[in-house]
Amino acid sequence: MGVLRKTKSVEVVLHEFSKDSSAISVITLVERLQLDMNKTTVYRILNKLEDDGIVHSFLGKNGHKWYAKCHNCSSAVHKDVHPHFQCISCGKVECLEINVPIPDIPNRKVEVSQILLQGKCEACYD
Amino acid sequence: MGVLRKTKSVEVVLHEFSKDSSAISVITLVERLQLDMNKTTVYRILNKLEDDGIVHSFLGKNGHKWYAKCHNCSSAVHKDVHPHFQCISCGKVECLEINVPIPDIPNRKVEVSQILLQGKCEACYD
DNA sequence: AATTTAACGCAACTAAGTTGCAACAATGAT
DNA sequence: ATCATTGTTGCAACTTAGTTGCGTTAAATT
């Protein structure tokens, strides 16, 4: 499954990602687009955009879902398995373009790593 | 706040952690103890046990809360900021006694790191 | 045993995310 | 351009993790 039709709603959602380079939580998106579309539509479009490798998702500090634009993904391979950074002051979430090497773990095969770092962001830094 | 009284319910919850060395999700715990106590009680006891540094919590792959016994914590300092491993086959979650070094990030101060690794556990490994 | 007050059970609530279905609209064919 | 097809949307109702308020119960202390 993926995005098949270029609807108004899809364009509106895409626009939100194009104007903001940081990640957006679904909650924020639903709230921000409540006049444009139903929350069900937001959830469904995000699902499809992720299938298509256009955005990727991850969980913020409360276990709520966040989305951000992908840089080097396709529907086949989601390469964007970078860490994410959430500011504990302003709540903003960003993708970090760094590589965190995961040590080998005996008798276990790590396939996915989900790393959420929390602290003070650039703007909230003392 | 913390555990002030040694009630039957507290002992039952503690017993669950003593008989199982891997982590337990709140959902499982509520279900497993439904004959012993109310789910509200489970949530409240876990909260207090965490405050006291007896257990620590983290989020599993669906954003659901998990708890595991602490090894070197106190109510003042939660030292148990190790990574967790969740098996994608059987769903089991374990604490990993390894250290994942987080690289310094320019202009940001990392205070907490939440690392969830997913893959095949010892038992489900091919 | 009486008193104090933390802890408990219960029911009702909140909020994120999902589902089913009828109505609508983007796309390709005519 | 119009029609038919079928993917997409809105709506309402639902599911489920987690929380809250409050009256009752039961630890701990005297």
Side-chain angles (χ1 to χ4, degrees):
Chain A
M1 190 166 63
V3 173
L4 301 178
R5 294 184 184 178
K6 260 262 154 60
T7 66
K8 197 71 184 282
S9 298
V10 170
E11 276 173 46
V12 170
V13 171
L14 284 175
H15 178 67
E16 288 300 314
F17 285 101
S18 70
K19 73 180 184 188
D20 192 343
S21 67
S22 63
I24 314 174
S25 75
V26 181
I27 298 171
T28 302
L29 211 48
V30 167
E31 190 179 299
R32 195 185 289 173
L33 301 180
Q34 62 182 327
L35 297 176
D36 298 278
M37 71 196 76
N38 191 273
K39 70 169 176 173
T40 312
T41 305
V42 176
Y43 280 101
R44 289 195 273 230
I45 288 176
L46 290 172
N47 246 331
K48 294 190 176 177
L49 292 178
E50 184 168 28
D51 278 351
D52 285 2
I54 295 166
V55 298
H56 62 279
S57 73
F58 56 94
L59 300 175
K61 65 175 153 68
N62 302 311
H64 294 156
K65 219 166 183 181
W66 288 71
Y67 283 87
K69 259 184 298 185
C70 286
H71 291 122
N72 296 302
C73 297
S74 70
S75 54
V77 186
H78 264 294
K79 279 182 62 186
D80 262 321
V81 282
H82 48 255
H84 294 93
F85 180 89
Q86 183 158 26
C87 179
I88 52 175
S89 291
C90 67
K92 187 176 172 181
V93 178
E94 300 161 303
C95 299
L96 295 179
E97 305 296 332
I98 62 168
N99 186 37
V100 177
I102 304 297
D104 279 339
I105 301 153
N107 300 322
R108 288 180 194 79
K109 194 180 158 201
V110 175
E111 291 178 0
V112 184
S113 65
Q114 213 175 99
I115 302 179
L116 181 68
L117 306 178
Q118 293 174 60
K120 295 274 182 70
C121 77
E122 228 165 343
C124 299
Y125 206 5
D126 293 338
Chain B
M1 189 169 62
V3 173
L4 301 178
R5 295 183 184 178
K6 258 265 154 60
T7 64
K8 197 69 185 286
S9 298
V10 170
E11 276 173 46
V12 170
V13 170
L14 285 175
H15 179 67
E16 289 299 314
F17 285 100
S18 70
K19 74 180 184 187
D20 193 342
S21 67
S22 64
I24 314 175
S25 76
V26 181
I27 298 171
T28 302
L29 211 49
V30 166
E31 189 180 299
R32 195 185 289 173
L33 301 180
Q34 62 181 328
L35 297 176
D36 298 277
M37 70 195 77
N38 191 273
K39 71 169 175 172
T40 310
T41 305
V42 176
Y43 279 100
R44 288 196 272 230
I45 288 175
L46 290 172
N47 246 331
K48 295 195 175 174
L49 291 178
E50 185 168 27
D51 278 351
D52 284 3
I54 294 166
V55 299
H56 62 279
S57 73
F58 55 94
L59 300 175
K61 64 175 154 67
N62 302 313
H64 294 156
K65 220 165 183 183
W66 288 71
Y67 282 87
K69 259 184 299 187
C70 286
H71 291 121
N72 297 302
C73 297
S74 70
S75 55
V77 186
H78 264 294
K79 281 183 59 185
D80 263 321
V81 284
H82 48 257
H84 294 94
F85 181 89
Q86 182 159 26
C87 179
I88 52 175
S89 291
C90 66
K92 187 177 171 181
V93 178
E94 301 161 303
C95 297
L96 295 178
E97 305 295 332
I98 61 167
N99 185 37
V100 177
I102 304 295
D104 279 336
I105 302 154
N107 299 323
R108 287 180 195 80
K109 193 181 157 204
V110 174
E111 292 178 0
V112 184
S113 64
Q114 213 177 101
I115 304 178
L116 181 68
L117 305 178
Q118 293 174 61
K120 295 275 182 71
C121 77
E122 228 165 343
C124 299
Y125 205 6
D126 292 339

